[in-house]
Amino acid sequence: MAVKRTGKAGQGKRVGGYVRISEDPNDEEKGVTRQAEDVRDLAASLGWQVTKLYEENDTSAYKKRHIRLPNGRSVWRVIRPKFRQMLQDYEDGIIDAIIVYDIDRLARQPRDLEDLIDLVEHFKRPVIGATGNLDLMTDHGKAMARILVTMANKSSGDTARRVAREKLQTAREGNSRPGTRAFGWKADRVTLDPKESALVRKAARLFIAGESWSSVTKFIADSGIPTVMNGKWRIRTVKNIVLSPRIAGIALYNGQMRPDREGGSTGVDFLDMKARALIDEKGDYVQGKWEPILPVEEWEQAISEQLRRTEGTEFTSSNTRAHLLSGLLRCGRILDDGTTCNLVMNGTRAKQRTGKYTAIYKCPGKVHGGCGRNQRNMGKLDLLIEDLFFLHLEKNAPVDEGTAPEQDPYDPIVEKLEDVRSRLVKMRTGMRDGKVSPESFFAVVPGLEQQERKLLASLSKAKNAKKIRDKKLRSPGEVKQEWQQAVNNSARRALLGQYLQAIVVEPSQTRGTVFDWETIKPIWKNADQ
Ligand SMILES: [Zn+2]
């Protein structure tokens, strides 16, 4: 979440993995082998490799030992040799990054953590957690780690527990308050600004009702009310406002996510917006201190609407497009340097010599990165693709051979999800009954919640893929019928998208009214795509 885990720059990093054996009876965590597996998985997903694994054995190392510091002072310290070795290797450049299984396993002693933070600030090599959102590269991550370690370092007992829990809660709520005024609220960041909040509410409802992001953005811009930063309204800004949990009065995990943030490469994944909503141990949303603009249910609708639009719309952008082949056509013109233009051709109108307008698909001009020198008559191209589509359906009609029952591809995911959820329930009830310490709870639950979200995402992906596969097993007649009954071009385009990857449009070899269909090259998807 807080960690941006794409890391192109991080290719081939040598990673030190840190795992710990613990004999904490409250610890419902994984064994060392499975911890190491998770660390390796995360490394692999980042294109990194775990070259050294540091296995700390707490049972012997947890005891304090009497040591003498260089200045002659004598102190009691918890000595953790593997941790110290890892710090040394990080400093010496033997490893380029550290992945720790979780913060509870990283450091029980605040001074251990501070030593590591000092190194991170100096060498700026990533230190991240395989569970939860530990990322010592960010200020937020450091603050979070300090709180968790402080908590972990406290002895158990009711007072300590209560204090630690309140501390964490305060920290989370404090972090979830916007750093500056967010659009929709007054300068006190709590009370609604009547005009702005009404605008945001209307915008959200337009989006839920099916309006495109660009038309919602236009609606807000047309109001004449500027952004908080007095800037121009952008789609990204509006998405940030409408999809943020803050709109429903829900606190955020990460206070850095300000809905008023302007454009730029913030790396915000809008699909992850729901994951930013802060959840308490019972699984309920944590309410922020500010007045909500929308009821929680409506915000959830907006999130589902965004998901719905993003799923299965591989070739359409967030904008609703009116033309049948919008987004599907690629300019196949060979440029002077020998490369293919490859830009998406857009639907537009061209004035003819007669003064009349014709609808065409056109490669955008040079300012948009295209060649601007390739265009086709829209009506003729639409008809040609329709013909080619039906032909493709006939040629690839499914063979009826009493297909063997296929195993559901999402069964294993469901199984895992059930496991994760039952562990979450166990932790939550355990926390309520006082059987699970807040230390264990907060060390384990964020990781489990993250797993839950990941599993839900892959489940919906798998379901979607299956839906598309099932659809492809339909007979050409059924598909044709759906095509003919489709209410508009969007519906027909969605159907095309199940079968078509793209259509390459090479420059026409003929002049005038003859339509050069040989230069139109559809790229069909494989059966399992
Ligand atoms: Zn072009």
Side-chain angles (χ1 to χ4, degrees), residues 331 333 335 341-343 363-364 370-374:
C331 175
R333 191 163 173 276
L335 305 176
C341 173
N342 205 29
L343 218 76
C363 177
C371 66
R373 292 177 56 193
N374 193 4

Side-chain angles (χ1 to χ4, degrees), residues 181 183-186 191-198 225 291:
R181 181 178 86 82
F183 191 85
W185 287 270
K186 289 183 175 167
T191 326
L192 290 182
D193 176 289
K195 270 191 195 163
E196 289 185 2
S197 59
I225 303 175
E291 295 175 7

Side-chain angles (χ1 to χ4, degrees), residues 22-269:
S22 165
E23 287 199 337
D24 183 354
N26 284 324
D27 204 340
E28 77 121 39
E29 256 314 317
K30 298 176 174 177
V32 167
T33 324
R34 286 183 65 195
Q35 288 177 40
E37 258 172 42
D38 283 10
V39 166
R40 288 204 176 92
D41 281 354
L42 175 58
S45 75
L46 292 164
W48 302 350
Q49 204 194 347
V50 176
T51 49
K52 207 165 169 185
L53 195 66
Y54 304 85
E55 283 188 24
E56 196 80 78
N57 190 341
D58 247 7
T59 47
S60 62
Y62 198 55
K63 294 184 186 83
K64 287 189 174 183
R65 279 185 220 156
H66 204 216
I67 60 157
R68 197 166 289 278
L69 295 177
N71 64 11
R73 265 178 61 212
S74 166
V75 289
W76 287 97
R77 282 261 171 105
V78 175
I79 302 302
R80 295 165 56 201
K82 297 285 163 64
F83 181 79
R84 288 289 142 190
Q85 184 60 50
M86 180 172 70
L87 259 48
Q88 192 64 51
D89 292 349
Y90 180 87
E91 189 172 1
D92 292 345
I94 292 168
I95 49 175
D96 305 311
I98 292 174
I99 297 180
V100 49
Y101 177 69
D102 70 31
I103 181 64
D104 199 31
R105 261 148 241 278
L106 176 65
R108 287 242 167 168
Q109 295 291 310
R111 73 165 69 83
D112 284 349
L113 179 65
E114 291 309 318
D115 287 349
L116 178 56
I117 287 177
D118 283 347
L119 289 175
V120 173
E121 283 175 352
H122 185 78
F123 292 100
K124 303 208 172 3
R125 301 190 195 117
V127 175
I128 58 177
T131 63
N133 357 311
L134 175 71
D135 179 10
L136 293 185
M137 302 287 277
T138 70
D139 289 339
H140 176 73
K142 282 175 212 159
M144 227 33 213
R146 284 184 174 121
I147 292 161
L148 285 164
V149 168
T150 309
M151 278 178 46
N153 192 38
K154 279 205 189 302
S155 59
S156 52
D158 285 345
T159 317
R161 270 181 203 190
R162 186 177 49 76
V163 170
R165 205 169 147 186
E166 278 169 9
K167 237 181 170 173
L168 183 75
Q169 197 58 34
T170 318
R172 284 176 153 188
E173 281 173 12
N175 270 318
S176 68
R177 208 174 303 153
T180 56
R181 181 178 86 82
F183 191 85
W185 287 270
K186 289 183 175 167
D188 65 4
R189 303 171 210 172
V190 173
T191 326
L192 290 182
D193 176 289
K195 270 191 195 163
E196 289 185 2
S197 59
L199 198 61
V200 170
R201 196 175 300 119
K202 185 84 203 289
R205 286 174 183 163
L206 283 172
F207 173 69
I208 294 166
E211 287 290 332
S212 69
W213 279 119
S214 65
S215 78
V216 173
T217 307
K218 192 172 174 304
F219 164 77
I220 289 199
D222 285 349
S223 72
I225 303 175
T227 68
V228 170
M229 314 292 284
N230 237 328
K232 205 176 152 234
W233 282 103
R234 297 165 201 273
I235 288 181
R236 169 181 287 276
T237 319
V238 174
K239 272 190 187 176
N240 248 337
I241 292 174
V242 170
L243 298 179
S244 170
R246 192 190 319 281
I247 196 177
I250 300 166
L252 300 163
Y253 265 111
N254 181 344
Q256 294 159 358
M257 274 288 304
R258 296 207 316 269
D260 56 318
R261 179 172 291 179
E262 298 287 323
S265 56
T266 52
V268 176
D269 177 359

